[in-house]
Every structure is written in C-alpha cells, then in structure tokens.
Amino acid sequence: MTTNAPMSSERLDSLPGHFHGFALMHVAMRRDARRLLAAVPALSPAGLPDAGRWWGRLRDVIEWHHRSEDAFLWPELARRLPECAGQAEALAGDHAELEAAMAAVSAALRDAGPAALGAAAQRFSDVLCAHLADEERVAFPVFARLTVRGYLDLEQRLVRTAPRGVLAYLPPWMLDGAEPAAVRHVEATMPPPVRLLGRTVLRRRYERRLTAITHPV
C-alpha cells in the first residue's frame, strides 16, 4: 500500500488489501459507465432492449450498494466508531442526484432511443464518478479505524443484504478486468463454492449479458 497517497479505488495500491472488495465495486461502476458511453454511437433501436436489460442489472447493483450503505453501513459505522458518527452521517442519503441520473438513462433506453441516450449516459458517468470520489474521501479513512477482522465482518454483513439476483451478479461483475492482486484479495474472502460459481456458471451468464453493450447492434 502506498502510504502518502489519498486512499482511492482509482489507485488500488493506496488501499489495504482487505478494502479491495468494496473498492472493486466502485471500479466496476466506473468501468460500466465508460462501457455505456462507448456503446452509445453504435447502438441501434434494435439493440436497445438487450442494452436495457444489461443496464437494468447494473442499476440494480448500484441501487442496492447505495441503499444498503444508507440503511446498514453508515449507521453501523456510527455505532462502532462514535467518534466518526459525524462523517458517517454526512455520507447517508447522498444518492438522490445519482438516482435521478440513472432514471434518465433508463428512460432513454426505454422510450427515447439512441439520440437521447448519449446525454443521459454522460450525465450518469459524471454524477457517478463525482459521487464515488466524494464518498471514498470520507469513507476510506473511517474504514481504516476498524481492525481487519472488524472491517471484513462489516463488509460480509453488507453483502448478505443483497437480493439473490444481485448476489449472483456480483462476483463476475466485480472481478471483470480487475487487477490480479485485487482479485486474489477479494476471492480469498469468498466461500469456496461462491468462488467456483463466480469463475464458471455465473461468469458465463454475465458474459452473455455483457455482449449487449460491448458488441451493440
């Protein structure tokens, strides 16, 4: 871990290895925002339904991630670290702008078509990246006040709040294109059956859906 750099998921070497699971969710969100922007010029009306299904899964994951933070993670941090309650409370409920940006992408995919999608996708990317940077600036130093065991217990309890569909999507989605060291850190925290499914059945399902955005029609 680089000691002098501010902690950020954009620089995984600035983070301790046990933070990499949380960080890779943010990495994956930014990666898919870029994928959506790259796909827009090639998307035709015929490709919108499949792209919409891919987007729906991404939106489900982002909404779960942020709502579970508000409902569980920030309150639990405030309980465990009373001296950090102010920082934890500042993070809660800060998702309205992001939800509006995601709703605009959904509307463009469903109703407006490719012409309107570019602006909505750019707005989503801008809002998402700014939000994640703001969140990490506060959250990572608070996480660092926990022990490794305490942090991982909190993260595992957070993951267990995910709906079944999100749980099935998370392993291949998080690890898609991730740095090998980060993959090793994250897989080490997974139960062996989940690790195996993430590399096989869930990975194949994930990749089939992904073609709608990586090879749009």
Side-chain angles (χ1 to χ4, degrees), residues 201-214:
V201 176
L202 300 181
R203 177 84 187 176
R204 289 192 292 270
R205 185 186 305 167
Y206 167 82
E207 289 176 343
R208 285 195 298 270
R209 293 187 177 120
L210 187 59
T211 59
I213 208 74
T214 56

Side-chain angles (χ1 to χ4, degrees), residues 107-210:
L109 284 163
R110 183 183 61 246
D111 302 322
L117 182 57
Q122 186 64 62
R123 177 64 177 160
F124 163 68
S125 180
D126 292 345
V127 170
L128 174 74
C129 291
H131 171 77
L132 295 180
D134 289 345
E135 180 176 284
E136 291 178 6
R137 196 174 300 117
V138 178
F140 283 142
V142 175
F143 292 168
R145 299 178 71 95
L146 297 166
T147 64
V148 173
R149 183 184 297 272
Y151 173 79
L152 290 175
D153 170 71
L154 199 61
E155 183 181 88
Q156 288 160 10
R157 290 174 62 195
L158 180 73
V159 170
R160 288 197 293 269
T161 69
R164 181 173 297 180
V166 169
L167 276 175
Y169 196 71
L170 278 177
W173 173 76
M174 288 171 58
L175 301 182
D176 179 8
E179 296 177 12
V183 172
R184 289 193 296 272
H185 284 305
V186 174
E187 287 194 329
T189 69
M190 294 178 178
V194 174
R195 188 161 59 241
L196 177 61
L197 284 171
R199 293 174 175 175
T200 56
V201 176
L202 300 181
R203 177 84 187 176
R204 289 192 292 270
R205 185 186 305 167
Y206 167 82
E207 289 176 343
R208 285 195 298 270
R209 293 187 177 120
L210 187 59

Side-chain angles (χ1 to χ4, degrees), residues 32-74:
D32 281 355
R34 293 191 298 270
R35 279 176 170 162
L36 179 61
L37 281 169
V40 167
L43 267 174
S44 69
L48 289 177
D50 284 343
R53 282 186 281 274
W54 170 86
W55 164 256
R57 183 60 72 191
L58 175 62
R59 184 175 178 181
D60 286 346
V61 171
I62 294 174
E63 288 180 341
W64 160 74
H65 179 71
H66 290 144
R67 289 175 182 172
S68 64
E69 288 174 340
D70 289 348
F72 170 74
L73 183 58
W74 310 142

